[in-house]
Amino acid sequence: MFVLLPCYSLEDFSFYMTANDTQEVFASWTALFHPALLKASGQLPRWETASAPNALFKRKLVIVPPGCESKVPADWLAKMEEERIPLVRGLRTREELLAAALDALNLDDPGFDQDLVDSYYAVGFAYFLEDLISRKFRYMSDIDTNRLEKFFLDSLNALESDGASAAIDGLQKACDLLCQTNEYYIPSPGRFVNLTRLETENDLGHPLQEQLLTRRRRDEKTNLFLKPDWLPVLAERYPQSLSLIREERDAGRLFLIGTEFGPKPMFLMTQTEIVAELHRAQQAYTQYLGRPATCYGREKAGFTQVLPPLLKLTGFETSLLFSLDGWLPDKEKQSRIDWVSRSGSMIPSLCRNPVDGEDHRAFLRMLEGCGYSYRTDDLGTVIWSHRPGHEVPWWSDIVRINRFVPLIGETMGMAEFFKLTETAGHRRSYGKDMFRTNALTRAAQEEQINPVTHAYSTCSTLFRTTKRAEPERSEPDTTGEPTTGEKSASSHLKQSYSYGQGSLWQRLRSFIAGRQESADQHEVAGYTEERLSRTEVDKYYTLSNEFFQIRVDPTTGAVKRLSTWDPGQVQLSRGLLRLPGRGNRFSWLPGYRLSSKERDADGRTPQDGHYGYAVPAVDRIEVVNDGENAGTLQIAGRFVLPSGKTAGQFQHKITAYRGNRVLDVELTFQPKIKPKDHAWENYYGCRFAWRDELARIAIGVHEQTWETERDYLQAPEMVDIRSEDKLGITLLTNGNPFFRRFGMKRMDLVLIPKNEQGRTFRFGVGVDLPHPLREALTYKTRAENEHLGQTESHPALPVRVDSENGTVLAALPLPGYNAGVGSLLVQETFGLHTNAVLTFGPKVSCVRRTVLAGQAEPKELTLVEGAVTFPMTPYETVLLEVTQQ
């Protein structure tokens, strides 16, 4: 009996056939290993190349897979018909092929036990796979086909005389022979992990129940990826499925992989929000399944570098360092990883992209990955992912082979994998740039609405955190009742960090927000190197305080120059500071990046500063506030396309505060032309430029600073542009996270891409901030509170951090506890060993160091005059449980 294959030899057998072709080849080969057909043939099946079959072979039966029909010579088919050799053609499934083969040979179905028949199928399949992998990756195979054929025939004879158990012994010998050959080339078999995922509600009912019951009969392990979102649905509509999950888990046959509700892109969340989401999910698992999940995984990309300690805090002991939608850390070739965070916290992880177990082609991909892993991976592992009831039948053959010997790979549960590889993990510490999870691109692909304004969320706070008290400074003299704008500025000022310098603070009387009368320095703008005459410079609007001055172009509305004063010299002339200071540090202007079609029609040269963008044109500039505590300029204009048409309108409001190094910027857009191209290519936003090509770029994510060289930045907290002299500009992003760099000196803040409906955006520009990240977090919190109409965070117990390099991230209530108990995250942010000192209010009665999962006993800290002290390692995150009276 022969099968025609679409290859000249197994060395050139393609791993990239279509799904139908793959199914046909596997089904055709394995169908011939039915005991009745083997008995009739008296020998093992063989294969021939479809394009050039040997005309001299003697045959009893030939199976021609439909995908090979076009390759078979017509005269050969005609000759087979002349010789009356049965041809089985046009069939794809194993059951159809078997029925056709029995009919062609005039054989009756002997009615063998199906479990025994499946064992013959599986061993025949193992023979094909072993021969294929050996020849594909080692270019030779030493399978003793004569002995293998003898073991099969002995098994058939034993089946007639002694029954099924004796036949199984013969199959066991055949598998042992294949294993010996395999070990000669591949000393250690791979590992197969079967991962069941639930995608639709239909998966929760009969398909899941049937799979769990089938695997119970086989004593097979199940690794179930179960989102907490499905738990209430299971409890309400499919209680039998929920009961089966609990029973299988208690029996040790089911390993649960958990995740958070949602899930959200984690790089956009604070560490407190991540802990809160993970803890909420663990509570759901405990409520419905009796205990929390111990392995963490994600359905969609969105991992972050700070996860290991946060997973440990919330009860996860292991993790899957891949997402089910195909994300994987770049250039990672090892399956078992000890994922180490910046703080040194480690969590064992499985790092391997799963293959789609519902696609016949994926089985060949699995074999290819298994073959290459023998060369590169110390613990070659293949993850077989599928929905319940949708896996292709070849996986059942692999599982059945493992009953005899782990020939191709050993099937195991996730718990077994981590236990087996406990001492074999490779330590990896991934930097920020390794997690290239492009949330904006994915949001565009999924047609999400408001990808920018929904990019970050806020978390409820149980505690109000405060900075260590600053020395009091005398307030400036004022005359008359301040205006509403000045009251707002004064309130804003009191909440911000102050960086004033003594006499300068006391002597400065007012801001100037109007046209500058004269200027002595030539302009070097961020978008052009053109020198401007004194007459042109005189036209600028200026906005100043004791730290910096900005000049606004009345034609385009661009901030053409942000310069700082020399603090060693002060000259006052009717409130106007004229100090020799540092030159242009930074520039920005609102922008509309043209679509690809509009850029193709742009006749300007790349040397033009506005090439690829609409040109902003000012309609009016207003001095909204010119008070003693704040100065505000408001610029209204429109975007003009190269064709002369208007793309939209904008309002650009800039506010400077006395004693504050941060400029407050608010942009409002009224688009007439909505972006339609890719989110990173066509958008409304803000364009930035600076002078130093060697400036270091660092971003703020998860209350930590990370240097980066990427062109596409995702920075929900800040972007710090710092030169070698350690003086720089910090963009306080206020949760607007998407930036795109162009070369060494330019960058865009993307605000309105495709599907974005937000129109008003706010961010800050900080000048020479001594603690940029701290100021960025304060700015975002203040902006959120102002948006909610609040003057401070949640009114509750205050806590103060008395160590400079310790930071209270935030706090959250603990569900299940009384109202007086909450958890507090504290992190070391400077990369140093330190003793953190936290001072609480008088109502705090107990502070304990703990984890939310409760695996370890909380350690009570000693309160001395309302303060606790405890050691912290670099970047360590500590969870405290605080009890109020």
Side-chain angles (χ1 to χ4, degrees):
M1 295 183 292
F2 285 81
V3 175
L4 301 186
L5 297 184
C7 59
Y8 286 99
S9 66
L10 289 183
E11 285 87 344
D12 64 6
F13 186 91
S14 175
F15 281 147
Y16 297 92
M17 295 191 298
T18 66
N20 286 338
D21 289 348
T22 304
Q23 178 185 9
E24 294 159 7
V25 168
F26 287 168
S28 299
W29 177 263
T30 55
L32 295 180
F33 280 83
H34 189 279
L37 296 179
L38 288 175
K39 182 69 175 176
S41 172
Q43 60 183 7
L44 291 180
R46 286 164 172 75
W47 68 270
E48 290 184 87
T49 177
S51 58
N54 194 319
L56 302 178
F57 284 162
K58 295 182 179 180
R59 303 172 178 85
K60 289 186 176 181
L61 178 74
V62 177
I63 295 181
V64 184
C68 296
E69 288 270 3
S70 61
K71 297 181 174 62
V72 182
D75 59 341
W76 185 86
L77 290 174
K79 183 177 181 180
M80 293 299 103
E81 292 177 356
E82 290 177 3
E83 296 179 1
R84 296 185 178 182
I85 295 176
L87 295 176
V88 178
R89 303 164 64 180
L91 301 178
R92 288 190 169 90
T93 67
R94 189 154 57 189
E95 292 74 17
E96 293 173 340
L97 288 163
L98 173 63
L102 292 174
D103 182 64
L105 296 176
N106 298 317
L107 298 176
D108 296 327
D109 189 344
F112 291 125
D113 179 69
Q114 188 60 43
D115 186 72
L116 176 65
V117 173
D118 289 341
S119 296
Y120 275 92
Y121 287 152
V123 179
F125 192 43
Y127 168 36
F128 180 78
L129 296 182
E130 167 59 26
D131 204 13
L132 175 62
I133 291 180
S134 297
R135 293 184 181 275
K136 192 76 174 179
F137 296 100
R138 301 297 182 185
Y139 307 106
M140 64 182 69
S141 175
D142 284 346
I143 297 177
D144 189 340
T145 54
N146 292 327
R147 289 184 62 198
L148 187 68
E149 186 174 78
K150 177 180 182 302
F151 290 145
F152 267 99
L153 296 179
D154 290 346
S155 175
L156 291 172
N157 295 331
L159 176 62
E160 291 183 349
S161 58
D162 300 325
S165 60
I168 292 295
D169 291 340
L171 293 179
Q172 180 67 60
K173 293 179 181 179
C175 286
D176 291 340
L177 175 62
L178 291 174
C179 187
Q180 292 172 9
T181 305
N182 184 67
E183 289 176 351
Y184 182 78
Y185 297 104
I186 305 170
S188 175
R191 292 160 181 80
F192 291 158
V193 177
N194 193 325
L195 180 61
T196 302
R197 64 183 191 274
L198 306 174
E199 291 186 358
T200 67
E201 187 174 334
N202 291 334
D203 296 335
L204 306 180
H206 177 73
L208 179 60
Q209 296 169 21
E210 185 65 24
Q211 175 178 297
L212 292 177
L213 291 174
T214 300
R215 293 189 174 177
R216 177 185 291 183
R217 290 193 295 269
R218 297 176 180 173
D219 195 27
E220 183 183 347
K221 303 293 177 64
T222 297
N223 304 294
L224 182 63
F225 184 93
L226 178 60
K227 299 184 293 185
D229 312 65
W230 289 124
L231 291 172
V233 181
L234 283 168
E236 180 179 352
R237 302 178 188 176
Y238 307 99
Q240 185 176 356
S241 297
L242 185 64
S243 177
L244 276 173
I245 292 173
R246 297 190 66 162
E247 291 173 8
E248 293 300 291
R249 194 181 184 194
D250 292 341
R253 287 188 293 267
L254 186 144
F255 185 82
L256 181 65
I257 301 161
T259 187
E260 72 275 14
F261 285 91
K264 305 174 185 177
M266 282 190 167
F267 81 94
L268 295 171
M269 302 167 62
T270 66
Q271 292 193 54
T272 310
E273 291 174 307
I274 295 173
V275 169
E277 288 293 319
L278 294 175
H279 183 49
R280 187 162 70 98
Q282 290 287 50
Q283 285 189 308
Y285 291 124
T286 303
Q287 176 185 350
Y288 290 99
L289 300 177
R291 62 181 187 271
T294 57
C295 183
Y296 173 79
R298 280 188 67 87
E299 186 178 36
K300 296 183 179 181
F303 285 90
T304 177
Q305 63 278 6
V306 299
L307 259 184
L310 306 186
L311 292 176
K312 288 295 188 71
L313 288 175
T314 50
F316 292 97
E317 300 172 1
T318 57
S319 76
L320 306 183
L321 193 50
F322 62 85
S323 60
L324 296 184
D325 65 354
W327 178 89
L328 188 76
D330 287 350
K331 300 179 181 178
E332 188 54 73
K333 297 188 177 185
Q334 299 298 321
S335 299
R336 171 61 155 77
I337 297 297
D338 287 341
W339 182 12
V340 183
S341 73
R342 201 178 195 180
S343 64
S345 179
M346 186 275 291
I347 190 165
S349 302
L350 173 56
C351 184
R352 182 64 61 201
N353 257 337
V355 297
D356 186 0
E358 302 174 23
D359 189 342
H360 296 277
R361 293 173 297 178
F363 200 89
L364 289 177
R365 306 291 193 277
M366 181 182 74
L367 294 178
E368 182 183 34
C370 189
Y372 283 119
S373 71
Y374 295 146
R375 302 175 180 175
T376 61
D377 195 343
D378 296 341
L379 301 161
T381 304
V382 175
I383 302 174
W384 183 259
S385 173
H386 65 94
R387 296 162 57 196
H390 287 74
E391 62 184 346
V392 295
W394 322 118
W395 174 259
S396 298
D397 290 346
I398 291 291
V399 173
R400 193 170 292 273
I401 293 170
N402 272 265
R403 295 184 182 180
F404 299 100
V405 64
L407 180 62
I408 307 301
E410 181 180 0
T411 59
M412 62 180 60
M414 202 74 73
E416 295 174 275
F417 172 82
F418 284 114
K419 185 176 181 180
L420 179 67
T421 61
E422 186 175 4
T423 60
H426 290 251
R427 294 179 69 87
R428 292 285 189 275
S429 180
Y430 299 104
K432 174 67 183 68
D433 287 351
M434 183 61 73
F435 293 88
R436 300 181 180 181
T437 307
N438 198 322
L440 184 58
T441 299
R442 291 176 180 272
Q445 292 172 345
E446 298 171 4
E447 296 292 327
Q448 294 180 12
I449 304 300
N450 296 331
V452 175
T453 54
H454 288 172
Y456 69 99
S457 60
T458 58
C459 181
S460 60
T461 305
L462 178 67
F463 296 91
R464 172 169 53 84
T465 62
T466 60
K467 186 178 180 289
R468 183 163 52 178
E470 296 287 346
E472 294 187 1
R473 301 187 303 179
S474 58
E475 292 291 333
D477 297 332
T478 58
T479 58
E481 185 69 15
T483 64
T484 304
E486 290 171 343
K487 287 181 180 179
S488 174
S490 178
S491 174
H492 184 117
L493 180 64
K494 289 178 181 178
Q495 295 180 50
S496 66
Y497 297 131
S498 53
Y499 304 96
Q501 297 191 5
S503 61
L504 182 61
W505 168 272
Q506 298 174 20
R507 293 174 62 184
L508 184 63
R509 297 284 299 177
S510 65
F511 285 80
I512 299 298
R515 291 184 185 274
Q516 184 174 335
E517 297 176 358
S518 63
D520 298 327
Q521 299 178 357
H522 62 264
E523 181 67 14
V524 182
Y527 295 96
T528 176
E529 297 299 325
E530 178 185 1
R531 290 178 178 268
L532 302 177
S533 68
R534 176 170 178 171
T535 303
E536 291 172 317
V537 173
D538 289 347
K539 297 178 181 179
Y540 287 152
Y541 280 78
T542 63
L543 187 61
S544 310
N545 72 357
E546 63 267 46
F547 301 112
F548 51 77
Q549 180 191 76
I550 64 172
R551 295 177 182 175
V552 179
D553 188 332
T555 303
T556 63
V559 176
K560 301 288 285 187
R561 179 185 182 95
L562 186 157
S563 56
T564 53
W565 307 119
D566 185 344
Q569 301 182 40
V570 178
Q571 297 178 14
L572 294 177
S573 174
R574 200 181 176 277
L576 176 64
L577 289 171
R578 292 178 178 171
L579 306 177
R582 295 182 181 273
N584 185 24
R585 304 280 294 282
F586 199 64
S587 308
W588 75 87
L589 79 163
Y592 167 64
R593 181 166 174 80
L594 305 179
S595 65
S596 58
K597 183 178 180 180
E598 292 165 337
R599 288 199 299 273
D600 291 340
D602 190 350
R604 296 169 294 184
T605 64
Q607 287 71 34
D608 190 310
H610 295 291
Y611 175 76
Y613 295 85
V615 178
V618 171
D619 293 328
R620 68 181 185 278
I621 298 181
E622 298 180 66
V623 180
V624 177
N625 186 16
D626 182 13
E628 295 185 356
N629 294 318
T632 303
L633 280 176
Q634 182 166 289
I635 305 140
R638 61 194 184 281
F639 297 111
V640 182
L641 297 174
S643 63
K645 295 182 180 180
T646 299
Q649 297 176 320
F650 68 89
Q651 285 190 353
H652 183 197
K653 186 165 71 172
I654 312 169
T655 304
Y657 299 95
R658 175 176 294 184
N660 199 323
R661 293 181 179 268
V662 177
L663 278 160
D664 194 56
V665 181
E666 185 177 286
L667 286 174
T668 301
F669 300 91
Q670 296 176 353
K672 290 185 178 180
I673 299 176
K674 293 185 178 180
K676 298 179 181 179
D677 284 1
H678 191 281
W680 286 109
E681 293 293 339
N682 182 207
Y683 50 81
Y684 291 86
C686 191
R687 304 174 60 196
F688 303 103
W690 56 93
R691 297 190 65 177
D692 188 0
E693 292 185 353
L694 301 179
R696 175 185 62 87
I697 305 296
I699 62 176
V701 184
H702 303 309
E703 301 91 7
Q704 294 184 12
T705 302
W706 308 81
E707 291 193 22
T708 182
E709 296 181 356
R710 293 198 64 198
D711 291 333
Y712 297 89
L713 308 182
Q714 299 174 132
E717 293 161 7
M718 71 158 194
V719 175
D720 190 62
I721 305 165
R722 200 147 295 249
S723 300
E724 287 298 326
D725 55 6
K726 305 302 181 185
L727 300 176
I729 299 295
T730 305
L731 300 177
L732 314 178
T733 66
N734 189 33
N736 301 305
F738 303 117
F739 292 82
R740 180 181 176 183
R741 292 182 63 183
F742 294 89
M744 305 298 291
K745 300 192 297 181
R746 298 182 186 181
M747 179 168 57
D748 286 1
L749 169 59
V750 179
L751 295 176
I752 303 182
K754 182 181 178 182
N755 295 326
E756 175 59 48
Q757 297 176 353
R759 293 296 179 260
T760 300
F761 305 89
R762 178 180 173 185
F763 60 89
V765 178
V767 181
D768 297 339
L769 301 179
H771 301 292
L773 181 59
R774 186 179 297 173
E775 182 66 33
L777 299 175
T778 302
Y779 184 90
K780 184 174 184 291
T781 302
R782 184 168 59 240
E784 291 169 355
N785 294 336
E786 291 177 3
H787 176 72
L788 298 173
Q790 301 173 351
T791 57
E792 60 182 37
S793 301
H794 208 285
L797 188 68
V799 55
R800 186 176 76 241
V801 182
D802 290 322
S803 49
E804 284 296 332
N805 52 340
T807 299
V808 173
L809 301 183
L812 64 155
L814 283 178
Y817 287 77
N818 57 58
V821 179
S823 61
L824 184 71
L825 279 179
V826 183
Q827 185 180 70
E828 199 287 319
T829 57
F830 281 71
L832 303 173
H833 290 271
T834 185
N835 285 322
V837 181
L838 273 64
T839 302
F840 298 89
K843 294 184 178 181
V844 169
S845 59
C846 181
V847 180
R848 300 193 297 175
R849 185 167 178 169
T850 185
V851 292
L852 287 173
Q855 310 102 312
E857 287 293 327
K859 179 181 178 181
E860 185 169 346
L861 303 177
T862 304
L863 273 168
V864 179
E865 297 181 354
V868 296
T869 303
F870 52 91
M872 296 186 71
T873 57
Y875 301 108
E876 183 181 10
T877 301
V878 173
L879 183 66
L880 301 179
E881 180 186 294
V882 182
T883 306
Q884 324 180 40
Q885 297 175 353

